[in-house]
Amino acid sequence: MNMTVVAYVVYLVVSVGLTVWVARTLSTNGRVFLADVLHGDGELADAVNRLLVVGFYLVNLGFVALYLKSADTIEDAREIFEALSVKIGVVLLVLGVMHLANVYVLSRIRRRGLSDREQYPPVGPDGRTDVGWGEPKASV
């Protein structure tokens, strides 16, 4: 068998395996975070989680497929390892960037949700809320 084909097969098996593992890990552990971001709505969290996983698969497996082709011919085991180290390293970096982008977007949504919850001022001990800062104005 041609060594280039061996490199392709190993690259596909490792890259697809890593993509599936990362997607499952993010899906399993991200559900709690999504439920918090979505104010405890578990059903919506599950739906968003599934949509994120599908998008994650599409982007990463698309990248893996596009990055498959190699311009160099591979003739021995050393060249297989060299080609695979570059290709799998780039796939790992793309997976990491995708993960960080997801976490960043979700944390922004979460912060926005927390600021919406805190938009009303607390009620004072006398049962009323004064508008403005400082002492309340005396009535005439």
Side-chain angles (χ1 to χ4, degrees), residues 82-101:
E82 289 172 356
L84 288 175
S85 69
V86 171
K87 288 191 172 294
I88 292 172
V90 171
V91 168
L92 288 171
L93 288 173
V94 169
L95 287 170
V97 168
M98 287 291 297
H99 168 65
L100 291 176

Side-chain angles (χ1 to χ4, degrees), residues 10-22:
V10 172
Y11 166 73
L12 284 174
V13 168
V14 171
S15 296
V16 170
L18 284 169
T19 300
V20 169
W21 174 71
V22 171

Side-chain angles (χ1 to χ4, degrees), residues 114-126:
L114 288 176
S115 68
D116 289 346
R117 289 184 208 167
E118 299 169 356
Q119 68 184 357
Y120 301 106
V123 176
D126 60 354

Side-chain angles (χ1 to χ4, degrees), residues 44-55:
L44 182 59
D46 289 337
V48 170
N49 201 12
R50 284 189 296 270
L51 291 172
L52 287 172
V53 168
V54 168

